[in-house]
Structure formats: C-alpha cells, structure tokens
C-alpha cells in the first residue's frame, strides 16, 4: 500500500478499517488499514488511540519505519498548532512549507553511525511540493478553506511556550508552533517518502492574544478534521501520484 495519513491531536480514526500491528527494528507501530473503493490507505494515530503518548515520547522511528515496511510512499499528516502570526487565527487551516527545529531530546535520524551508517538529508524542501499543490487543488473541490502556507516551529513540549519564547520564534520568522512535526518530516525524507503536513490552528500562542485553553483545542479540531481528511482522501484516491514530480526520493547523501 502506497498511501498513508498520519492523524495528529484530535484525529484518531478516519473510518472503517482493519487494525494491524507492524513490528519494526525500533518497536511496534499500530496502523489501521482502510479500503476506499479499492484503494488501500494506511492510517496512523500519531499519539496513539485516545492520545496516550506525549509528543517527546512518540516512537517516530517505529511509526515511519512501519509505513515504509508497508510500502508507503505518499503521506499526508495533520498537526494541531498554535499561531503566532496575526493573519492565522484559531480555526484556520495552513499548509506547512518549512520548519525550525527546537526539539531537544529525540532521536532525529535512522543513521546513527556504526552499522546504521552516516547520512545527511537535504532540507531545501522538507515538505513535498507535489503533495502540497495537489492538496490545495483538491481543497477547492471539497470546500476546505486554506488560509496560507506556514513556517512551523517545533518545540520539545509537552509544556506550552513562554511569552518570551513565542516573541523569539516570531522574530525568527515562524508562523505556527507545534510539538511533533520534527522528527516526523525528517524521517520521512530519510526514507525517500513524499510527506506533506497540514496545520490546524487551535489557539493563539502564549502572549499573542488570550490564553491557550484545552477546550479550544478539542472543539476546533472537531470542526476541521472531517474536511481536512476528506481532502487527503480525495487526493490519495483520485490522483495517479508519482515521485518523478518532486525530489523527495533523492534527498539523502549517504557517506
Ligand atoms: N504550542 C505548541 N504546540 C501546540 C500549540 C502551542 O501553542 N497548540 C497546539 N499545539
């Protein structure tokens, strides 16, 4: 199966499916397999069903390796994000175009040296341009409004940021903040996969406007997840995807 969706906070299943446990050298990952009009799509709940795994403890390598073992080449992902850009308000949907990594304690690569080898992966286009263009095109058909593209700041979490940190991220050029897209996007690229994440804005970041409230996050995710996943499925079942349209599969320099 070549296509997958990774659901972030608030997106824990997307329809009738069969659950499979995939064993990898990094641990076990759980994948739901959906069959939509003969097209198989793997669905993975990033935080586990019922949101049981915090951002810094997610086994990103097992998750991405499991998708690779299933033959996946094209991945869409959702992520709940806070906004530090006044033009992007809670409830808005943005497509990620670049990231800044402020994580601290996570395995960041499959290439750990020794028998795993050493490699450097290019980050000129971390997200797949082809999947991004197709998402924007299909959003017009599904009626999903996209507010714009965004630079994603990845923090270690699980705490929210201080007002001073948010001020710094804003000065640096960030638009939205989340806790999970790194290393997920990096590992996808190391495996030569096409990966595009879509941010669903759940709150203003600390000190921007108002307060970060838990019920805001849950309510807003409910409103948006159906249209975002509908758009993912529209692309994944309706397009002949090819890796010739981007350079995602050729981004690794192995030493
Ligand atoms: N900061 C970090 N991660 C988040 C936020 C935030 O404000 N909102 C949703 N995920």
């Amino acid at each position: 199966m070549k296509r997958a969706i990774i659901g972030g906070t608030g997106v824990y299943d997307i329809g009738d499916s069969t659950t499979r446990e995939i064993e990898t050298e990094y641990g076990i990952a759980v994948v739901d397999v959906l069959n939509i009009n003969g097209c198989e799509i793997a669905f993975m709940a990033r935080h586990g069903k019922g949101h049981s795994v915090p951002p810094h403890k997610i086994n990103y390598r097992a998750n991405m390796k499991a998708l690779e073992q299933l033959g996946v080449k094209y991945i869409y992902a959702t992520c709940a994000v806070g906004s530090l850009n006044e033009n992007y308000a809670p409830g808005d949907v943005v497509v990620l175009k670049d990231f800044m990594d402020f994580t601290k304690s996570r395995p960041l690569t499959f290439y750990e040296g020794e028998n795993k080898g050493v490699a450097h992966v290019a980050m000129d286009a971390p997200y797949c341009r082809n999947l991004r263009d197709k998402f924007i095109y299909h959003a017009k058909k599904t009626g999903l409004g996209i507010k714009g593209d965004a630079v994603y700041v990845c923090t270690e979490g699980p705490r929210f940021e201080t007002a001073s940190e948010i001020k710094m991220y804003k000065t640096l050029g960030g638009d939205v903040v989340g806790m999970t897209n790194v290393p997920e996007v990096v590992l996808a690229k190391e495996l030569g996969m096409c990966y595009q994440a879509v941010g669903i804005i759940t709150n203003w970041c600390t000190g921007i406007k108002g307060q970060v409230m838990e019920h805001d996050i849950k309510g807003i995710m409910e409103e948006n997840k159906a249209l975002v996943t509908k758009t993912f499925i529209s692309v994944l079942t309706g397009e002949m995807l090819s890796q010739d349209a981007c350079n995602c599969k050729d981004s690794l320099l192995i030493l």
Side-chain angles (χ1 to χ4, degrees):
M1 128 193 29
K2 291 210 155 133
R3 298 153 163 84
I5 294 172
I6 299 177
T9 300
V11 184
Y12 305 118
D13 70 80
I14 57 169
D16 285 345
S17 57
T18 316
T19 302
R20 283 174 63 179
E21 286 194 352
I22 313 289
E23 214 173 303
T24 77
E25 63 191 285
Y26 300 96
I28 290 173
V30 178
V31 174
D32 292 339
V33 179
L34 288 89
N35 189 316
I36 302 175
N37 303 327
C39 174
E40 277 194 324
I41 298 178
F43 173 79
M44 183 176 266
R46 183 187 292 125
H47 295 271
K49 305 264 175 199
H51 205 109
S52 53
V53 191
H56 62 297
K57 291 223 171 126
I58 292 170
N59 192 341
Y60 296 96
R61 289 193 294 200
N63 286 354
M64 302 314 281
K65 201 71 188 175
L67 294 179
E68 187 203 35
Q69 285 174 205
L70 287 172
V72 168
K73 300 242 179 284
Y74 308 101
I75 304 174
Y76 279 117
T78 68
C79 41
V81 290
S83 173
L84 46 76
N85 177 335
E86 274 88 355
N87 298 319
Y88 297 157
D92 287 345
V93 170
V94 292
V95 286
L96 305 193
K97 65 170 177 194
D98 206 352
F99 71 80
M100 290 188 229
D101 179 12
F102 288 90
T103 63
K104 295 176 181 148
S105 68
R106 310 170 182 196
L108 283 170
T109 179
F110 290 110
Y111 293 92
E112 295 284 16
E114 310 270 319
N115 63 333
K116 301 281 186 201
V118 174
H120 302 286
V121 67
M123 284 289 124
D124 53 313
Y127 302 96
C128 175
R129 291 192 184 105
N130 186 36
L131 286 187
R132 181 151 76 245
D133 290 348
K134 294 211 181 314
F135 180 78
I136 292 167
Y137 177 74
H138 280 253
K140 292 196 180 95
K141 294 202 258 177
T142 59
L144 171 72
I146 298 173
K147 205 58 192 285
D149 52 25
V151 175
Y152 176 98
V153 175
C154 195
T155 61
E156 182 68 1
R159 68 169 176 84
F160 283 118
E161 303 70 40
T162 65
S164 299
E165 285 170 333
I166 291 300
K167 215 162 147 188
M168 172 183 74
Y169 297 143
K170 196 172 160 71
T171 309
L172 293 176
D175 296 302
V176 296
V177 183
M179 303 174 190
T180 54
N181 217 243
V182 181
E184 193 169 278
V185 59
V186 178
L187 297 174
K189 192 70 99 201
E190 283 191 353
L191 295 173
M193 295 159 157
C194 293
Y195 175 100
Q196 177 62 49
V198 172
I200 302 176
I201 297 175
T202 52
N203 58 282
W204 292 110
C205 287
T206 314
I208 297 287
K209 293 182 191 177
Q211 258 192 319
V212 180
M213 297 289 279
E214 201 250 354
H215 69 263
D216 290 343
I217 295 184
K218 285 202 174 133
I220 287 167
M221 286 309 303
E222 275 311 306
E223 282 169 29
N224 281 306
K225 74 174 184 197
L227 267 187
V228 171
T229 52
K230 190 173 170 190
T231 309
F232 289 163
I233 289 170
S234 176
V235 179
L236 295 175
T237 60
E239 291 275 349
M240 292 285 293
L241 295 170
S242 158
Q243 290 206 299
D244 294 337
C246 59
N247 60 6
C248 296
K249 68 176 188 329
D250 307 311
S251 300
L252 199 61
L253 175 66
I254 298 180
L255 299 178

